[in-house]
Amino acid sequence: MNTTFLQACRGEKVAYTPVWLMRQAGRYLPEYQQVRAKVSFLGLCKTPELAAEVTIQPVDILGVDAAILFSDILVPLEPMGAALEFHESRGPVFPHPVRDEAAVSRLRVPEPEAELGFVMDTIRLLRRELAAKVPLIGFSGAPFTLATYLIEGGSSKSFLYTKKMMYTAPELYHKLLVKITDCTVRYLKAQAAAGAQALQIFDSWVGVLAPCDFAQFALPYVKTIIAELKKATDVPIIYFANNGATLVDLSVESGADVLGLDWRLPLDEAVRRVDGKVALQGNLDPLALLLPHARMEERIGRILRQAKGARGHIFNLGHGILPEIPPEQAKFMVEAVHRLSARKG
Ligand code: CP3
């Protein structure tokens, strides 16, 4: 197996910089579209053979150094008791937003093997199929990001109801976040036990918080998750705080082995700020995949140079790849990262 990705997570010497792409299994690939044409998005997540098939597609097509389980951060919220729908045009929708004491009390903490067994089955299947290829990353959403979906009832721009609960009903907010945290600890432990070789925690919307609110209303729950995981498993843990340039110093305290960074913060500045305490993952602007090859290479080369002093570096996009990206451009990026980072001798 190619273990370059795991070595970089642990800050070990690598022959070249490993690379994978957030949302690497998805609609930009015609091969994904073909599978997706036969089944709904949630149906795909819940059918281990199909979920495993689309997980492996980018490994074979792009040559990335890690696979990421095909699922969604919102999947574990369903067995918590939150009805979930995916609409083609609007994305995820929770028709019954969680905004009061009764709604929070109704949420349960599911038993992962019994109620999310399809995820663990997908992981077990993937470990067999990926044995000679690359490591498998499992994942979850971070409590703040998951809470925004439950409280807002879907995606949001202002996060009005989330902040309203934080500021006007902090005890209720805390009760909700504790439940989500509890669920996430069990869910990620089960993924590691099933065979996930690294775990990424996605905090996609945490960048809407002021640093003082991040410290009070988001980071403590991430810390709890990572501390609990560290008691049960030694798989590397990646914390991705999207739009988190102002949160990097605090994020180092999360206990994660690797911090994922979006493209807004130059990597050399991140290297200085984390001071060797964690490895770094990132951070090409996902739309820089539209650049002509020579200019994309310049951008990749710059990121590789900026990452020089890092404890470890895993190349990635700064957020998920978009459906509009031609797969050949993503393939070129992966090949260029490998070529430009190869250590000689
Ligand atoms: O990275 C991978 O290849 C693994 C699969 C994966 C998906 N979602 C598949 C998906 C992962 C890791 C996620 C995480 C996820 N889901 C996040 C965190 C990462 C991020 O982008 O910030 C978030 C916020 C979600 C919630 C979500 N899921 C939204 C907002 C949407 C709709 C918008 C969109 O991109 O379509 C989804 C749907 C979704 N999740 C799709 C895929 C492939 C598209 C569904 C389809 O096939 O129609």
Side-chain angles (χ1 to χ4, degrees):
M1 178 186 301
N2 163 6
T3 57
T4 319
F5 162 75
L6 294 175
Q7 289 169 275
C9 289
R10 299 201 172 99
E12 295 167 12
K13 274 216 168 69
V14 283
Y16 60 87
T17 302
V19 50
W20 67 281
L21 286 67
M22 288 191 275
R23 295 283 191 100
Q24 64 189 12
R27 286 165 298 185
Y28 73 105
L29 288 177
E31 293 84 352
Y32 171 86
Q33 298 277 20
Q34 263 179 29
V35 176
R36 182 65 174 76
K38 299 182 284 195
V39 58
S40 70
F41 173 64
L42 277 176
L44 177 49
C45 294
K46 292 175 186 178
T47 311
E49 293 71 23
L50 295 181
E53 181 182 341
V54 298
T55 300
I56 295 175
Q57 285 174 352
V59 175
D60 293 338
I61 297 165
L62 306 181
V64 286
D65 298 287
I68 180 160
L69 165 73
F70 189 83
S71 183
D72 197 86
I73 60 166
L74 304 177
V75 161
L77 300 180
E78 239 188 348
M80 284 186 84
L84 166 62
E85 298 163 10
F86 276 92
H87 295 262
E88 291 300 325
S89 49
R90 284 164 64 206
V93 174
F94 289 96
H96 311 288
V98 175
R99 292 183 192 161
D100 57 25
E101 176 70 42
V104 172
S105 291
R106 271 197 300 273
L107 294 174
R108 339 175 5 260
V109 175
E111 171 50 52
E113 273 291 351
E115 296 172 84
L116 292 156
F118 54 88
V119 173
M120 282 19 105
D121 288 342
T122 305
I123 292 174
R124 285 185 280 263
L125 191 58
L126 277 166
R127 281 302 302 278
R128 288 200 291 280
E129 294 183 3
L130 288 168
K133 296 185 178 179
V134 294
L136 175 64
I137 306 169
F139 69 89
S140 75
F144 173 79
T145 288
L146 293 177
T148 66
Y149 280 101
L150 289 178
I151 300 170
E152 305 295 331
S155 303
S156 176
K157 280 207 167 74
S158 67
F159 297 89
L160 167 70
Y161 293 101
T162 307
K163 292 189 178 182
K164 189 174 174 193
M165 192 191 287
M166 268 168 42
Y167 294 140
T168 67
E171 280 156 27
L172 183 61
Y173 174 87
H174 180 66
K175 184 172 168 183
L176 172 60
L177 275 274
V178 166
K179 256 186 190 175
I180 297 171
T181 301
D182 208 6
C183 167
T184 306
V185 167
R186 289 170 199 231
Y187 183 49
L188 289 178
K189 273 190 190 169
Q191 290 189 32
Q197 291 155 289
L199 296 168
Q200 174 152 323
I201 301 171
F202 285 94
D203 223 344
S204 304
W205 311 130
V206 78
V208 302
L209 294 179
C212 61
D213 287 329
F214 174 68
Q216 185 179 350
F217 294 107
L219 181 62
Y221 308 102
V222 177
K223 275 189 183 171
T224 300
I225 292 171
I226 296 176
E228 288 301 313
L229 288 171
K230 290 285 175 191
K231 292 181 197 164
T233 170
D234 62 359
V235 303
I237 298 169
I238 307 166
Y239 176 54
F240 171 62
N242 182 38
N243 214 341
T246 57
L247 309 174
V248 166
D249 304 58
L250 285 163
S251 295
V252 171
E253 295 171 21
S254 66
D257 302 282
V258 184
L259 288 189
L261 298 166
D262 67 76
W263 64 94
R264 297 165 185 92
L265 183 67
L267 220 50
D268 49 355
E269 198 181 319
V271 169
R272 278 196 297 280
R273 281 165 62 181
V274 306
D275 194 25
K277 295 189 185 102
V278 290
L280 297 174
Q281 176 174 279
N283 67 348
L284 186 72
D285 183 335
L287 288 178
L289 290 176
L290 294 173
L291 285 168
H293 288 182
R295 293 202 48 217
M296 205 202 302
E297 276 189 2
E298 276 172 31
R299 293 282 291 260
I300 292 168
R302 186 189 308 151
I303 290 173
L304 291 170
R305 282 193 303 280
Q306 289 172 333
K308 274 268 155 46
R311 176 189 170 91
H313 178 220
I314 300 113
F315 201 99
N316 205 318
L317 301 176
H319 203 177
I321 189 168
L322 294 171
E324 291 75 13
I325 299 299
E328 316 79 65
Q329 291 290 99
K331 193 172 172 192
F332 176 81
M333 185 272 256
V334 171
E335 180 274 319
V337 170
H338 286 160
R339 174 165 41 79
L340 297 174
S341 67
R343 325 271 190 269
K344 294 183 185 69

